[in-house]
Amino acid sequence: MVTTAKRSSVRQWMALGGVSLAVLAIGLDATALSVALPTLATALRAPEADLEWFSSGYLLVLAAAVLPAGLIGDRFGRKKTLLASLTLFGVASAICAYAPTSAAFLGGRLLLGLAGAGVVVMALSAVTVLFDVDERPKAVGIFAASNFMALPLGPILGGWMLTHFHWGALFLLNVPVVILGLIAAGFLIPESRSEKVRRLDPVGIVTSAGGLAAVTAGLVEAGQRGWTDAWALTLMIGGAVTLGLFFAWERRTKALGGDPLVEPALFESARFLWGAILAAIGGLALLGLIFTMPQYFQGVLGVDAQTSGMRLLPLIAGLVVGAIAANGVAGRIGNRMTLMWGFLLIASGFLVGSSTVANSPAWFVMAWMVVVGAGAGITTSVATSAALSQLNAEDSGIGSAVVQAIQKIGGPLGTTVFGSVLSAVYLSHLASLGLSNRAADQAHQSIFAGVAIATRTGSAALLGSVRAAFVAGMDTAFLVCAGIAAVGAILAVLFIPRRAAESVEEVPVVVPN
């Protein structure tokens, strides 16, 4: 039934658990893949290009499908869309698990991207539909905290399963999680859809999907070939132009009395627009740590993937504490100041982290990771809830899709930016080592290649130099992360409204029977 009750029921919080479980499956798949790539290269005889597409192909489909997924949920039912997406995700996981070739595995990954778009958008939409504006920040904090658990669980479970089972079991791990998510969502999440039947906007669908996919592809290519690569620049510029045409078309459609894919009025709300952008910036800074620390743990400290995942637990502890505490802090000092202090926490943590060396004590690394995690938990939760506060049940699907679209572009952007900075410093340090041309070419590929050469030649001096070169690049990347967080703090002060909330139409809260 539909009510405007201000207090949420126990079943609504149980439904939130079902939503979080559904998104956990997506997070486990994304984090576990990074652990499995070396094994897949051997088992499927996959060349480097295929390994890159296992990840980038998933991202491309996910980016292209998020806005159409929001439209489908609003039009045909958000619960139906979530259940269908979860089912497809389980099927695609099984395809990956039993793939005999790299082509078959890539096909499964593309299906996972399509299904993942439906799951993440409908899960966030469910938070909007289930909880009113007052309860939503708390729900977003719990939702975010539970989803952060995928960051260490993927490498920990993935490393353990690769050690004890066939590599396909790693992807079958998604299936029981999907089944539990289906049961929880099926029984606990109520059906909802937009009461207004919108006409389809095919031009908006095509231009938004094409623009998002092109920008994402360009960022992936830039990360692999460099920012000056002609093809990468063509994709990014073409994608940006296409997105510009999309926004122009949406405004024209609305002015002529039609039904745009995305309501242009959404972007006129500073709380929605800057909430979505700041959530992406918070995630962008966090990606710098997630991108570099596993390489530091494995390449510099020499631990395995499973142990590397366990060493991320302090970060997750900070994320969970920050996400849960965010609602209470924002209630006392407001969203603007909470976001500012959250970003400053991230910046201070990365500034301390930029002094990390190869033999830094474990407690030192744990301490600054907790600080970064707490700041990231605060900023992502508060910024996301600020954006969602401007959505009502009518546009919760497509509105949540816009928030997700902005955040999904941040993933490849962060990886490309931090990878470029780290690589540039790493290579500049290697250039001073006087390696042979062949050894230099191999060491340039990654720290793992450099460590392999040093191990093969038995040179302790070379091993120490390669590790020191990587740490220098990592520390520089952390300074970039600190700068991005500082920019986030400034943007929060400038653009997040001072008042408690902008007026929005009362949100009909769907209460499970």
Side-chain angles (χ1 to χ4, degrees):
M1 65 178 178
V2 178
T3 181
T4 54
K6 286 294 183 180
R7 306 306 302 175
S8 49
S9 69
V10 174
R11 283 182 62 87
Q12 281 173 277
W13 293 106
M14 292 175 64
L16 177 63
V19 168
S20 300
L21 189 61
V23 179
L24 179 63
I26 309 297
L28 285 174
D29 175 81
T31 54
L33 177 67
S34 60
V35 177
L37 285 177
T39 303
L40 293 174
T42 302
L44 298 177
R45 297 181 180 178
E48 186 67 27
D50 284 1
L51 294 178
E52 293 170 356
W53 269 103
F54 290 165
S55 177
S56 59
Y58 171 88
L59 290 174
L60 288 180
V61 176
L62 184 68
V66 285
L67 290 181
L71 173 66
I72 291 171
D74 284 344
R75 187 181 179 92
F76 299 106
R78 300 177 186 112
K79 178 178 178 178
K80 290 186 181 71
T81 304
L82 176 60
L83 295 178
S85 299
L86 272 173
T87 301
L88 179 60
F89 195 86
V91 171
S93 297
I95 291 174
C96 290
Y98 294 106
T101 64
S102 61
F105 186 86
L106 177 58
R109 292 295 300 170
L110 297 179
L111 284 177
L112 283 172
L114 180 63
V119 173
V120 296
V121 171
M122 290 303 102
L124 193 58
S125 174
V127 174
T128 304
V129 173
L130 285 168
F131 299 95
D132 62 30
V133 176
D134 294 330
E135 294 279 7
R136 207 172 295 161
K138 181 179 178 181
V140 170
I142 296 173
F143 175 76
S146 61
N147 294 332
F148 288 142
M149 295 305 298
L151 293 175
L153 283 179
I156 292 171
L157 292 176
W160 182 81
M161 295 188 76
L162 286 173
T163 302
H164 295 87
F165 301 99
H166 180 263
W167 64 265
L170 178 61
F171 298 94
L172 289 178
L173 177 66
N174 293 334
V175 176
V177 179
V178 164
I179 292 173
L180 289 175
L182 284 170
I183 294 172
F187 283 100
L188 296 173
I189 298 177
E191 183 60 280
S192 66
R193 62 171 59 85
S194 176
E195 294 182 4
K196 177 184 176 182
V197 179
R198 295 172 179 248
R199 287 170 289 181
L200 290 178
D201 178 14
V203 175
I205 293 173
V206 171
T207 52
S208 64
L212 288 170
V215 170
T216 303
L219 290 171
V220 171
E221 289 295 313
Q224 297 169 358
R225 305 184 185 189
W227 287 98
T228 58
D229 179 75
W231 177 234
L233 287 173
T234 299
L235 285 170
M236 287 187 287
I237 294 172
V241 170
T242 304
L243 288 175
L245 294 174
F246 163 71
F247 287 116
W249 173 263
E250 296 300 279
R251 290 187 178 278
R252 179 180 181 275
T253 301
K254 184 66 175 179
L256 295 176
D259 292 325
L261 176 63
V262 178
E263 284 289 341
L266 269 180
F267 298 99
E268 297 172 3
S269 165
R271 192 170 295 274
F272 176 83
L273 177 60
W274 287 102
I277 291 174
L278 290 173
I281 292 176
L284 185 67
L286 180 62
L287 272 172
L289 193 151
I290 297 172
F291 176 77
T292 54
M293 290 311 291
Q295 297 182 71
Y296 172 78
F297 292 141
Q298 297 178 55
V300 177
L301 302 186
V303 305
D304 58 21
Q306 185 176 357
T307 305
S308 175
M310 295 182 69
R311 294 200 177 197
L312 286 175
L313 289 175
L315 168 68
I316 307 309
L319 284 166
V320 171
V321 171
I324 294 176
N327 179 46
V329 176
R332 290 179 174 85
I333 64 175
N335 285 348
R336 175 191 285 185
M337 297 305 295
T338 302
L339 285 169
M340 183 195 75
W341 285 111
F343 278 116
L344 291 179
L345 267 180
I346 296 174
S348 61
F350 274 122
L351 284 175
V352 175
S354 66
S355 63
T356 301
V357 294
N359 59 352
S360 290
W363 67 263
F364 172 78
V365 176
M366 291 172 59
W368 68 257
M369 284 176 62
V370 168
V371 174
V372 171
I378 290 171
T379 54
T380 53
S381 296
V382 173
T384 300
S385 63
L388 294 185
S389 71
Q390 301 307 292
L391 302 180
N392 54 38
E394 282 294 302
D395 55 15
S396 67
I398 196 65
S400 299
V402 173
V403 174
Q404 287 290 343
I406 294 174
Q407 293 184 4
K408 296 311 175 189
I409 289 178
L413 175 61
T415 302
T416 300
V417 170
F418 303 129
S420 299
V421 172
L422 194 158
S423 178
V425 177
Y426 172 70
L427 294 180
S428 68
H429 279 68
L430 285 184
S432 64
L433 297 181
L435 300 176
S436 66
N437 290 337
R438 181 179 179 183
D441 288 342
Q442 292 176 339
H444 283 184
Q445 295 176 12
S446 68
I447 181 178
F448 301 107
V451 168
I453 293 171
T455 303
R456 187 167 63 247
T457 59
S459 172
L462 177 59
L463 179 62
S465 297
V466 167
R467 287 173 168 170
F470 176 84
V471 170
M474 180 185 75
D475 289 345
T476 305
F478 286 164
L479 290 175
V480 174
C481 292
I484 291 174
V487 170
I490 295 171
L491 293 176
V493 172
L494 291 177
F495 296 110
I496 292 295
R498 183 185 300 275
R499 55 181 181 251
E502 296 174 356
S503 59
V504 293
E505 182 181 350
E506 179 63 42
V507 179
V509 179
V510 181
V511 181
N513 291 315

